[in-house]
Amino acid sequence: MKKAIYPGSFDPITFGHLDIIERSARLFDEVVVGVLANSAKSALFSTAERVNMIQELVAKYPNVTVDSFDGLLVDYARQIDAQIIIRGLRAVTDFEYELQIAQTNRVEYPALDTVFLTTSLNYSYLSSTIVREFASYGGDISRFVPQEIIPLIEAKYQRGQ
Ligand code: PNS
């Protein structure tokens, strides 16, 4: 059984992330989407909100579950007995950072391998940061995220207005 973890901030999840999840679900027996619960980082969505959102969007994949983790990814991977970390690579600019993290994680936990999936070309420009930036100015984000979560994102920027 190949159990993989797809970790990230997912603040919010985008079509790029969902594309990686769909492809990972075909490649591995079990995929755990691991939402980083980092209280130091000021996130748009709470950890529970991000987990719930993703759970709804991946409900169609029977081998995909969603969870949150705190602390080091290697510790969480050990805890859930995952042998593979999945990361998406958009462009060469992602590579250096991702390589460093993958190698550090492997030093800490040699049984753990990182598998990189190249992001589909139509999403190679996309990031959660871009989605937040666009939404904060009232831009159309329908090409970036699923319809179901657009009202949730927009609501975050309507508060206090
Ligand atoms: O979506 P992101 O923000 O690019 O995801 C980054 C993530 C969550 C994969 C990374 O920050 C992470 O694994 N954080 C947990 C702490 C850790 O293990 N860091 C890597 C070792 S230096």
Side-chain angles (χ1 to χ4, degrees):
M1 285 287 278
K2 293 273 172 241
K3 185 172 186 175
I5 170 167
Y6 179 41
S9 304
F10 306 108
D11 188 36
I13 190 157
T14 69
F15 280 136
H17 296 129
L18 288 164
D19 172 61
I20 298 282
I21 293 171
E22 185 184 338
R23 287 156 61 201
S24 302
R26 274 186 260 133
L27 286 170
F28 305 107
D29 299 304
E30 212 181 321
V31 176
V32 179
V33 180
V35 177
L36 178 68
N38 189 351
S39 50
K41 218 167 145 185
S42 61
L44 181 63
F45 289 99
S46 72
T47 309
E49 285 173 324
R50 283 179 276 157
V51 168
N52 290 340
M53 241 186 279
I54 303 169
Q55 255 162 357
E56 264 187 47
L57 296 169
V58 304
K60 56 190 162 202
Y61 309 117
N63 60 337
V64 177
T65 53
V66 189
D67 194 9
S68 62
F69 74 100
D70 213 346
L72 285 176
L73 177 58
V74 282
D75 292 338
Y76 178 64
R78 247 194 217 105
Q79 187 192 315
I80 65 166
D81 205 19
Q83 310 90 3
I84 300 141
I85 295 174
I86 303 157
R87 291 289 286 168
L89 274 186
R90 284 167 302 193
V92 72
T93 41
D94 283 342
F95 183 75
E96 211 171 319
Y97 171 73
E98 292 294 339
L99 181 69
Q100 192 180 15
I101 299 281
Q103 288 177 334
T104 309
N105 286 340
R106 190 123 193 280
V107 167
E108 290 294 321
Y109 184 6
L112 192 65
D113 267 303
T114 301
V115 170
F116 294 107
L117 295 185
T118 53
T119 302
S120 297
L121 270 183
N122 39 337
Y123 302 129
S124 59
Y125 63 91
L126 190 52
S127 69
S128 300
T129 310
I130 289 281
V131 173
R132 291 196 303 269
E133 176 81 2
F134 241 72
S136 72
Y137 289 105
D140 177 9
I141 52 171
S142 60
R143 284 189 198 85
F144 309 155
V145 301
Q147 210 63 40
E148 298 94 306
I149 69 168
I150 292 178
L152 304 176
I153 300 169
E154 287 178 346
K156 290 285 176 186
Y157 293 104
Q158 273 155 14
R159 251 172 235 163
Q161 278 181 7

